[in-house]
Amino acid sequence: MPEPILAIDGLNKSFGGLRVTDDVTLSVAAQEIHALIGPNGAGKSTLIGQVMGEIAPDGGRVLLAGRDLARLSQARRVRRGLARTFQVPEVLGEYSARDNVLAALMARPTGRFFFNPRRDSTLAAEADTFLVHAGLEGRGDMRAADLAHGERKLLELAVALATRPRVLLLDEPMAGLGPHESAQMVEVLRGLRGKVAMLLVEHDMPAVFALADRISVLVYGRIIASGTAAEVQADPNVRIAYLGTEDA
Ligand SMILES: Nc1ncnc2c1ncn2[C@@H]1O[C@H](COP(=O)(O)OP(=O)(O)OP(=O)(O)O)[C@@H](O)[C@H]1O
Ligand SMILES: [Mg+2]
């Protein structure tokens, strides 16, 4: 088996007496879409926070392309190829959609400097390309705060893509989206298949089944099952955790 692009190895984290990450081992293969599902409070967002370097684990390792990320800041992890989106989208509301992407482009270590990035037509065109990839064609001049909720989720994705990640950590990209917006998000993520690996935290099971190559199930901080959609659906532990009965 080829080396995974992202490997989470024996990760542990407690908040006081609450064990939110309990010996979690999980890998994402290059170009794989790996879904992480589990009930509210299972520890999914906390896991993303640890991979990204926002929350320090108590033990265990996170490796990107075989390299241990311990002690690397969030900024360095982004430079190595990790990017994320949030359950509640984090965008600069007062700035235009294009400027949000420009800010991410300017943060790249290119050796170039822009006193006024808006006047650099190459940079602006590049920003628009990321908006198009995220399904936001024609929205570049709109203030992020004036975008619909679903469009803000897409903008956050465009910002993440502008860092040119190797692995995208997506924390509930469908959260709060209507059926039309969800379908659009699924299409956009499907369009990224093969270009970037994804760890997809999601409650929307039709979206998970439409996108995921593999699914891992997290319950009370522990991975209780991992495999294809069919394997996970047939797993008695998953049936008990989700439905309270093995034969439901
Ligand atoms: N900073 C913190 N201090 C104490 N407890 C925390 C902290 N952050 C999260 N928790 C707790 O850790 C547990 C896991 O939370 P987390 O947000 O990771 O769950 P989740 O799986 O993302 O849930 P949801 O599906 O609702 O988003 C919860 O019980 C939560 O209350
Ligand atoms: Mg969460």
Side-chain angles (χ1 to χ4, degrees):
M1 196 141 138
E3 182 181 73
I5 183 74
L6 178 70
I8 299 170
D9 179 23
L11 211 65
N12 282 296
K13 178 72 187 177
S14 295
F15 289 120
L18 182 68
R19 191 110 185 235
V20 293
T21 307
D22 191 352
D23 199 22
V24 167
T25 293
L26 181 161
S27 68
V28 182
Q31 305 185 353
E32 181 187 18
I33 302 181
H34 192 133
L36 181 65
I37 64 169
N40 293 117
K44 304 178 298 294
S45 295
T46 312
L47 190 70
I48 286 187
Q50 290 173 83
V51 173
M52 208 63 226
E54 296 153 17
I55 301 169
D58 298 333
R61 299 187 308 162
V62 178
L63 300 110
L64 184 66
R67 294 176 71 179
D68 195 332
L69 298 180
R71 294 186 300 279
L72 287 192
S73 66
Q74 188 176 331
R76 285 191 170 276
R77 290 177 200 221
V78 172
R79 284 192 194 147
R80 290 272 177 91
L82 275 181
R84 70 163 297 173
T85 61
F86 291 84
Q87 214 164 324
V88 179
E90 300 257 346
V91 292
L92 301 168
E94 297 306 308
Y95 288 82
S96 71
R98 184 179 300 106
D99 285 354
N100 271 271
V101 180
L102 282 177
L105 292 177
M106 286 164 64
R108 290 183 310 188
T110 57
R112 297 174 71 201
F113 183 80
F114 305 93
F115 283 104
N116 184 350
R118 289 191 183 117
R119 289 184 58 178
D120 187 290
S121 55
T122 314
L123 201 65
E126 194 180 354
D128 283 350
T129 306
F130 286 107
L131 291 174
V132 169
H133 284 158
L136 289 171
E137 188 163 12
R139 288 285 196 267
D141 292 322
M142 272 186 76
R143 235 169 51 111
D146 294 334
L147 294 172
H149 172 72
E151 292 177 322
R152 280 200 299 281
K153 301 280 275 188
L154 291 166
L155 176 57
E156 203 188 25
L157 182 63
V159 170
L161 291 173
T163 68
R164 295 202 179 276
R166 293 197 274 177
V167 181
L168 257 179
L169 312 171
L170 301 168
D171 199 353
E172 299 195 26
M174 318 293 163
L177 303 191
H180 175 73
E181 292 177 320
S182 288
Q184 187 184 8
M185 181 65 80
V186 167
E187 271 324 296
V188 169
L189 295 180
R190 196 177 265 144
L192 296 171
R193 178 186 287 286
K195 299 189 178 104
V196 58
M198 295 178 216
L199 182 63
L200 170 67
V201 168
E202 190 49 65
H203 287 292
D204 179 335
M205 292 313 294
V208 166
F209 291 137
L211 290 165
D213 299 301
R214 276 191 299 165
I215 301 172
S216 289
V217 185
L218 191 74
V219 178
Y220 294 123
R222 286 187 77 88
I223 301 279
I224 62 160
S226 205
T228 62
E231 286 165 353
V232 163
Q233 279 177 293
D235 190 300
N237 289 327
V238 175
R239 287 166 172 264
I240 291 166
Y242 265 91
L243 304 164
T245 163
E246 194 180 325
D247 46 32

